[in-house]
Each structure stands twice: as C-alpha cells, then as structure tokens.
C-alpha cells in the first residue's frame, strides 16, 4: 500500500476519477486500498519529497450506518464489533450480499460475481453495494478527519474500479460529508484511482 500511495502523483490525470471535487489544499493525502483486506496510508510532501506512512486502518472498528441496519448486519455476520476490513474488503462486499440475501443459496460466490450482478441491476446485489458505499463513505470520513487529509482522499482497488460508474451516483460522498464537520469535509476531494499500474509506478519511482 505504501508503493501504491507513492505512485499516485505519477498516475495520468485521465486515470483519476473525481467523486467529489472539493477544494484541495497542500497537506496530507489519505489513501485507502481495497483488496483481500483494506489498508490505509498517508502521503505527505515534506521538503518537496514524497513520504508515505502505511498503517493498519482496516482493523479499526466498523463505523455504524444506522441502528437498525447495523444490528441486522452484526447479526448476519456474527460479530459484535467487527473490524472495518470484515465488510469493506473485497470479500466484505460478498459478505454483505449474503447478509442481505436471506435465501439458503446464493447466486454469487465471489466479490467479482457480486460486482457483475450489481452492474446488471440485481436488487440484492445493488442493496449490498449501497450499504457498502455507505460504510466506505463513513470509513473514509473518519480517516480524513483523523489524518487532517486536506490534500484529498484516494480510493483504489479492482472491485471499486469495476463499479466505478455506480460509485459516482452512490451515497458514498453523502456519508463522507455527514456529521458536524460537513463544511471541513466538503472541501476534501475524493478520487478513485482507475490506473491498474499505480502500485508499479510507486515501486519504479
């Protein structure tokens, strides 16, 4: 994830998808990588040199959407205080699908299959995706506030790229800017990295 963060300045502008324009300032940038887990990093410009600190942000407690929904999810996954990674990793999207789908058998057995069903408009997959976006928005909000990420929040991951078109119209930004710090958060740009080579750019740089 540190390499991914270091590769961001080298990503062509056409490979960056703006989810919230904001008003970027010179300061820390928060990076969230979604894959087999979910990781976080901070990208800084110190004396005109890029520096990165990777962390284990995916292991913080999962943020709550609302009481009714959260209780239902906790019951479905069987954890009283799940980590963010439990539902926000790529596998988390599949867990959400199974939590929403009350049938004994499921039409999806991988995150990629859930993403495909979402693109097709499957109601169960779309509901799971909507919950995922709400949770990701809250997670990104908490990270941005904790880091003072006035330079922006960057999201990366194959599953997110696969659902990029639906992310633009999702509740992610509404939940990202929710709470008492709405004015502060609305100035922070949120960007989806579409470049599959971003990590390699960081390693090469």
């Amino acid at each position: 994830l540190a390499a991914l963060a270091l590769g961001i300045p080298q990503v062509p502008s056409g490979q960056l998808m703006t989810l919230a324009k904001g008003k970027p300032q010179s300061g820390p940038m928060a990076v969230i990588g979604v894959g087999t887990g979910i990781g976080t990093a901070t990208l800084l410009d110190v004396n005109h040199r890029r520096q990165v600190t990777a962390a284990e942000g995916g292991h913080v407690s999962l943020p709550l959407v609302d009481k009714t929904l959260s209780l239902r999810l906790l019951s479905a996954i069987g954890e009283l205080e799940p980590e963010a990674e439990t539902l926000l990793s790529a596998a988390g999207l599949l867990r959400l699908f199974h939590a929403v789908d009350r049938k004994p058998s499921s039409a999806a057995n991988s995150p990629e299959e859930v993403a495909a069903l979402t693109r097709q408009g499957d109601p169960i997959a779309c509901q799971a995706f909507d919950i995922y976006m709400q949770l990701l928005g809250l997670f990104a909000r908490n990270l941005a506030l904790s880091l003072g990420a006035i330079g922006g929040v960057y999201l990366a991951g194959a599953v997110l790229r696969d659902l990029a078109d639906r992310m633009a119209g999702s509740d992610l930004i509404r939940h990202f800017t929710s709470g008492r710090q709405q004015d502060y958060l609305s100035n922070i740009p949120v960007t989806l990295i579409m470049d599959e080579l971003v990590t390699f750019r960081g390693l090469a740089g």
Side-chain angles (χ1 to χ4, degrees):
L1 192 63
L4 187 156
L6 288 171
I8 290 174
Q10 304 172 54
V11 174
S13 58
Q15 293 292 304
L16 297 172
M17 178 178 173
T18 300
L19 298 174
K21 187 175 181 180
K23 297 178 181 177
Q25 304 176 57
S26 177
M29 291 170 276
V31 184
I32 298 174
V34 176
T36 54
I38 181 168
T40 60
T42 310
L43 183 63
L44 297 164
D45 189 339
V46 180
N47 296 326
H48 304 293
R49 293 189 62 183
R50 297 285 183 179
Q51 294 189 11
V52 64
T53 56
E56 295 293 343
H59 296 288
V60 302
S61 296
L62 187 72
L64 299 179
V65 178
D66 61 61
K67 184 179 293 185
T68 301
L69 175 58
S70 296
L71 288 175
R72 181 154 63 88
L73 290 177
L74 296 180
S75 174
I77 65 176
E79 295 183 29
L80 292 177
E81 191 177 350
E83 295 180 348
E85 186 169 274
T86 302
L87 294 179
L88 291 180
S89 62
L93 182 60
L94 180 62
R95 292 189 183 99
L96 284 171
F97 179 86
H98 289 309
V100 172
D101 185 6
R102 304 299 180 87
K103 300 177 183 178
S105 60
S106 171
N109 295 295
S110 71
E112 292 76 17
E113 290 179 357
V114 177
L117 287 171
T118 303
R119 292 194 298 272
Q120 295 165 17
D122 176 83
I124 299 298
C126 289
Q127 186 179 353
F129 173 75
D130 289 344
I131 297 171
Y132 184 92
M133 286 292 102
Q134 294 168 18
L135 290 171
L136 183 60
L138 291 173
F139 177 77
R141 180 195 71 179
N142 291 347
L143 184 64
L145 290 172
S146 297
L147 298 178
I150 58 176
V153 173
Y154 290 86
L155 307 175
V159 168
L160 298 184
R161 291 196 302 270
D162 286 346
L163 293 167
D165 290 343
R166 296 191 70 95
M167 285 183 68
S170 72
D171 281 341
L172 185 147
I173 299 303
R174 183 169 69 84
H175 281 73
F176 176 75
T177 56
S178 63
R180 295 191 298 178
Q181 294 297 318
Q182 184 175 6
D183 290 343
Y184 178 87
L185 290 161
S186 63
N187 286 324
I188 297 177
V190 180
T191 304
L192 175 62
I193 301 170
M194 300 297 293
D195 185 10
E196 298 180 15
L197 301 177
V198 57
T199 301
F200 294 101
R201 296 183 194 280
L203 289 171

